[in-house]
């Protein structure tokens, strides 16, 4: 007998429909799922597996290179926080370091006007097919993400195109994450528990290991579901929904098998100010945030190269919210 899934699953195929009633039905299903759990599964006819398959093959080729080749595009050399992230570069609360490697890319914004710390040209490795395969996946999921923004607007009782003017050049980030094979690892809690800083995330992974903190404060495993992606609410959507949807704290367990994970984090334009769009729920009160500043300030609290720039006086940040300001708390 198949065990029930620990998280809700929503079919978003109706967002492709020309009938407003079909899109509204998806929005209502998303609203119900997000109120029950900040994490859920989404599947739909618009999810093409081919770009993900090519991205996985490309990621395997990239991370199989020697360290010198990977460090040629070290993220600390970029102008917009893109490039290779070696193991130990990210440090979370309590001084713990996340022992994975990654490659981060953004919108690859080439225009000189409007550049910001997270908005500019990406670093690209000298690896045939890497840029094309990564951008193909980025563009495919970005189109689906725009549909999701429309559904979230409907779910909040807003016009379906409410977010459209604020999605011109958003610093959406795609991470190619590699958890190497570790035969000595025990199946135990990992490190790096956090909420995502952005509006929402769409995630494809090759192996289990993800855990989320449920409303009761217990960690639950998130198994893979064939043909579905994981979606979760981030800080900014919690803020805009006035706490109707909570960002959910999550982490990856220490497991032995090799694992690839490809989250794409969706946000609004860098200078867009997010504030509650509906009356706040409960006792929490939310102050407005500028999208890009919140993302960069939170990022600067975890990446070693940005901490080093602050220590040298090369980077001065305004006061940032402490990590863990959103979501269910352990």
């Amino acid at each position: 007998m198949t065990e029930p899934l620990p998280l809700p699953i929503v079919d978003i195929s109706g967002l492709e429909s020309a009938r407003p009633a079909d899109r509204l039905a998806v929005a209502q299903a998303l609203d119900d799922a997000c109120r029950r759990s900040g994490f859920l599964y989404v599947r739909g006819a618009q999810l093409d597996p081919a770009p993900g398959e090519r991205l996985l093959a490309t990621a395997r080729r990239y991370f199989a290179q020697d360290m010198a080749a990977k460090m040629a595009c070290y993220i600390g050399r970029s102008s917009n926080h893109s490039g290779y992230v070696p193991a130990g570069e990210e440090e979370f609360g309590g001084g713990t370091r996340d022992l994975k490697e990654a490659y981060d890319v953004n919108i690859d914004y080439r225009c000189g006007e409007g550049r910001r710390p997270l908005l500019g040209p990406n670093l690209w490795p000298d690896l045939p097919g890497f840029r094309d395969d990564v951008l193909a996946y980025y563009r495919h999921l970005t189109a689906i993400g725009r549909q999701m923004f429309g559904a979230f607007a409907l779910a909040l009782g807003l016009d379906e195109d409410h977010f459209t003017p604020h999605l011109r050049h958003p610093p959406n980030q795609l991470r190619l994450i590699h958890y190497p094979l570790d035969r000595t690892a025990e199946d135990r809690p990992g490190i790096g528990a956090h909420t995502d800083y952005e509006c929402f995330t769409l995630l494809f992974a090759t192996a289990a290991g993800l855990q989320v903190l449920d409303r009761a404060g217990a960690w639950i495993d998130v198994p893979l579901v064939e043909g579905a992606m994981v979606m979760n609410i981030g800080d900014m959507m919690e803020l805009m929904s006035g706490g109707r949807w909570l960002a959910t704290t999550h982490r990856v367990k220490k497991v032995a098998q090799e694992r690839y994970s490809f989250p794409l984090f969706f946000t609004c334009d860098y200078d867009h100010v997010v504030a509650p769009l509906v009356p706040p729920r409960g006792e929490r009160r939310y102050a407005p945030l500028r999208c890009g500043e919140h993302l960069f300030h939170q990022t600067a609290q975890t990446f070693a190269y940005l901490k080093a720039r602050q220590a040298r006086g090369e980077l001065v940040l305004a006061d940032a919210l402490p990590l863990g300001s959103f979501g269910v708390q352990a």
Side-chain angles (χ1 to χ4, degrees):
M1 183 175 180
T2 303
E3 293 186 4
L5 291 172
L7 300 174
I9 184 165
V10 174
D11 191 319
I12 62 171
S13 300
L15 297 180
E16 296 268 87
S17 174
R19 298 179 64 244
D22 294 337
R23 303 194 299 276
L24 181 60
V26 174
Q28 291 170 339
L30 277 174
D31 177 44
D32 180 66
C34 290
R35 282 189 288 111
R36 288 188 287 134
S37 171
F39 261 75
L40 57 144
Y41 299 100
V42 294
R43 61 185 174 194
Q46 58 268 66
L47 293 175
D48 181 0
E53 291 168 358
R54 292 196 300 271
L55 181 66
L56 176 57
T58 294
R60 283 177 169 150
R61 286 192 297 120
Y62 176 79
F63 290 116
Q65 298 179 113
D66 61 35
M67 185 57 68
K70 291 184 286 190
M71 285 297 287
C73 285
Y74 172 55
I75 194 166
R77 299 176 180 172
S78 71
S79 63
N80 74 323
H81 192 66
S82 68
Y84 177 65
V85 182
E89 174 72 24
E90 294 175 78
E91 186 175 289
F92 292 88
T96 54
R97 294 197 172 195
D98 213 354
L99 301 180
K100 64 178 185 291
E101 58 181 344
Y103 201 98
D104 293 355
V105 299
N106 296 290
I107 196 173
D108 202 26
Y109 188 67
R110 295 278 163 174
C111 297
E113 183 180 354
R115 286 191 183 178
R116 300 290 190 277
L118 300 174
L119 200 62
N122 286 326
L123 287 182
W124 294 109
D126 186 17
L127 185 68
F130 184 95
R131 183 176 185 274
D132 291 341
D133 291 342
V134 169
L135 286 181
Y137 184 84
Y138 189 100
R139 290 164 181 157
H140 174 60
L141 271 230
T142 295
I144 294 171
R146 285 179 175 270
Q147 293 180 344
M148 299 288 290
F149 268 112
F152 283 123
L154 290 174
L156 292 175
L158 307 170
D159 290 338
E160 189 173 8
D161 62 354
H162 173 85
F163 292 105
T164 302
H166 312 304
L167 303 176
R168 294 170 298 174
H169 306 295
N172 300 339
Q173 185 181 66
L174 171 63
R175 306 203 74 191
L176 284 61
I177 304 175
H178 177 225
Y179 298 85
L181 175 68
D182 183 0
R183 292 187 175 88
T184 66
E186 299 175 357
D187 186 7
R188 59 186 174 86
I191 56 178
H194 64 286
T195 59
D196 290 342
Y197 315 139
E198 297 82 356
C199 296
F200 62 92
T201 305
L202 288 174
L203 168 72
F204 162 62
T206 62
L210 182 64
Q211 290 186 316
V212 302
L213 195 66
D214 69 11
R215 294 292 193 263
W219 289 103
I220 59 173
D221 292 321
V222 180
L224 300 184
V225 174
E226 186 174 358
M229 302 187 76
V230 172
M231 195 217 82
N232 64 275
I233 295 296
D235 296 351
M236 292 183 192
M237 195 61 80
E238 176 181 329
L239 188 160
M240 288 190 287
S241 72
R244 180 183 182 89
W245 308 318
L246 294 180
T248 305
T249 302
H250 54 285
R251 66 187 182 188
V252 176
K253 292 192 299 184
K254 287 188 178 296
V255 292
Q257 72 265 42
E258 185 176 34
R259 182 176 184 269
Y260 290 88
S261 175
F262 305 115
L264 182 49
F265 305 95
F266 290 88
T267 185
C268 299
D269 288 336
Y270 196 97
D271 293 319
H272 178 59
V273 176
V274 296
L277 299 172
V278 294
R281 289 195 168 197
E283 297 179 357
R284 294 194 183 191
R285 292 296 179 266
Y286 298 93
L289 291 173
R290 194 176 299 274
C291 284
E293 287 182 0
H294 176 63
L295 296 182
F296 189 61
H297 288 188
Q298 299 301 89
T299 300
Q301 295 181 70
T302 58
F303 276 76
Y305 87 94
L306 290 173
K307 290 181 180 181
R309 289 183 184 177
Q310 293 176 70
R312 296 192 299 265
E314 299 170 2
L315 178 62
V316 178
L317 299 175
D319 291 339
L321 288 173
L323 296 174
S325 298
F326 292 88
V328 178
Q329 304 302 310

